[in-house]
């Protein structure tokens, strides 16, 4: 199974528009982060988790001409705003499967109402096939996927486990019963927004404590803001099995 980090930034990305913060001015490509998303590939299948406002740019960068579906963690803009850009893929391959909690589907329908029109639908609009996710395992092209329900302040968010790989983003806390789903995971991806505490995201200390609790073989940090610091400097301070993800990074699990 191959994982591609399409984007590793927080809601505004890095650099932030108009910012003179040193990290935003960095020349290091690893300090430039699109909105958070990954692509998961196995056999001949490709699925994307979250479809943010940088989706088009991410697909072009990866030279990706077909995906089999999009899984949504939750309904915030940096995770759903690129949905219209699936149209280029729909034109070639037909309706796109989307997978999300029923609350998220309701939000997407309100935001992209024209996609879901059943009468007089604009002919250029994308076609989607809705798949409601509940908090129980489901099959995705022969792969069992286990949703992991976590808390993002007042918002419920789904993470996902694919075999020995777990992807969690926008986490502030994980219920005890959901921790059971993380046992014996080999590779864990989790958000680490910045150094100081945040109301709805793990900061670096919380992320590292969580990783220690889960005890994976390797962990990668994502959903990173400029306030975490320079990529190269932060990574030097991390435990030996913990790494900063960066845009375009590919790993095999």
């Amino acid at each position: 199974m191959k994982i591609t980090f399409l984007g590793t930034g927080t809601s505004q990305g890095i650099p932030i528009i108009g910012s003179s913060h040193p990290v935003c001015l960095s020349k290091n490509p690893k300090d430039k982060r699109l909105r958070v998303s990954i692509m998961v590939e196995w056999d001949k299948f490709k699925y994307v988790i979250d479809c943010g406002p940088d989706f088009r740019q991410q697909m072009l960068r990866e030279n990706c001409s077909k995906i089999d579906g999009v899984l949504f963690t939750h309904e915030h803009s940096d995770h759903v705003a690129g949905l219209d850009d699936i149209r280029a893929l729909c034109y070639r391959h037909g309706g796109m499967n989307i997978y999300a909690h029923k609350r998220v589907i309701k939000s997407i329908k309100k935001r992209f109402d024209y996609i879901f029109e059943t009468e007089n639908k604009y002919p250029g609009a994308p076609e989607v096939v809705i798949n409601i996710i509940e908090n129980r395992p489901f099959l995705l092209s022969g792969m069992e996927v286990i949703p992991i329900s976590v808390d993002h302040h007042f918002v419920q968010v789904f993470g996902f486990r694919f075999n020995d790989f777990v992807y969690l983003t926008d986490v502030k806390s994980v219920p005890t019963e959901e921790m059971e789903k993380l046992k014996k995971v080999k590779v864990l991806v989790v958000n680490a927004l910045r150094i100081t505490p945040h109301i709805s995201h793990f900061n670096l200390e919380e992320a590292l404590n969580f990783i220690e609790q889960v005890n994976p073989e390797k962990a990668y940090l994502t959903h990173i803001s400029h306030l975490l610091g320079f990529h190269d400097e932060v990574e030097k301070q991390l435990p030996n099995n913990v790494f900063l993800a960066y845009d375009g990074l590919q790993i095999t699990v």
Side-chain angles (χ1 to χ4, degrees):
M1 184 167 58
K2 183 170 78 171
I3 313 300
T4 302
F5 289 85
L6 300 174
T8 57
T10 187
S11 57
Q12 296 185 82
I14 305 175
I16 294 174
I17 295 171
S19 175
S20 59
H21 189 281
V23 175
C24 290
L25 300 177
S26 171
K27 302 299 183 183
N28 185 349
K30 292 181 180 179
D31 284 322
K32 300 184 186 303
R33 303 181 185 276
L34 301 178
R35 266 59 75 93
V36 69
S37 175
I38 62 168
M39 183 160 58
V40 185
E41 301 178 57
W42 66 93
D43 300 331
K44 60 181 180 179
F45 305 109
K46 292 183 180 183
Y47 287 87
V48 168
I49 299 181
D50 287 332
C51 183
D54 302 315
F55 176 77
R56 172 183 171 274
Q57 185 176 349
Q58 292 161 344
M59 292 295 96
L60 290 171
R61 187 191 68 211
E62 300 302 326
N63 194 28
C64 185
S65 60
K66 183 179 188 291
I67 60 175
D68 295 285
V70 181
L71 288 72
F72 289 101
T73 58
H74 63 299
E75 64 270 39
H76 286 168
S77 183
D78 52 325
H79 299 262
V80 305
L83 183 60
D84 184 78
D85 283 328
I86 67 170
R87 67 170 67 188
L89 304 177
C90 293
Y91 294 162
R92 293 185 176 90
H93 307 292
M96 180 72 69
N97 278 292
I98 62 172
Y99 302 80
H101 189 285
K102 61 183 178 182
R103 182 199 75 247
V104 178
I105 294 294
K106 182 179 179 181
S107 176
I108 290 172
K109 282 185 172 180
K110 182 177 180 181
R111 181 170 189 151
F112 297 97
D113 56 348
Y114 61 94
I115 293 179
F116 300 90
E117 285 288 349
T118 56
E119 296 181 11
N120 301 318
K121 182 176 180 177
Y122 181 69
E127 294 283 345
V128 298
V129 180
I130 296 172
N131 299 269
I132 301 294
I133 297 175
E134 298 179 353
N135 194 13
R136 58 172 180 256
F138 61 97
L139 280 179
L140 207 61
S141 298
M143 171 83 71
E144 182 184 62
V145 180
I146 301 174
I148 302 163
S149 185
V150 301
D151 298 320
H152 178 38
H153 193 37
F154 294 129
V155 178
Q156 179 272 342
V157 173
F158 271 141
F160 300 101
R161 179 167 185 162
F162 299 77
N163 289 339
D164 295 324
F165 171 77
V166 168
Y167 180 77
L168 298 174
T169 186
D170 291 53
V171 180
K172 183 60 179 179
S173 63
V174 181
T176 302
E177 61 273 17
E178 297 299 302
M179 289 294 295
E180 292 293 313
K181 299 175 181 178
L182 304 177
K183 286 184 175 180
K184 297 182 179 180
V185 62
K186 290 183 178 178
V187 178
L188 171 67
V189 178
V190 67
N191 56 290
L193 186 71
R194 63 191 193 189
I195 301 299
T196 57
H198 188 271
I199 192 171
S200 60
H201 290 273
F202 280 159
N203 68 352
L204 180 59
E205 181 181 10
E206 291 167 329
L208 292 177
N209 288 340
F210 177 72
I211 290 166
E212 185 175 5
Q213 185 178 1
V214 174
N215 193 30
E217 292 180 7
K218 290 184 178 181
Y220 293 85
L221 304 179
T222 192
H223 207 293
I224 293 164
S225 83
H226 62 296
L227 297 176
L228 188 64
F230 293 102
H231 182 282
D232 291 349
E233 293 181 6
V234 174
E235 188 155 69
K236 290 176 184 176
Q237 304 169 26
L238 299 176
N240 290 335
N241 68 327
V242 181
F243 309 90
L244 282 190
Y246 56 87
D247 290 18
L249 172 65
Q250 293 186 338
I251 60 174
T252 301
V253 183

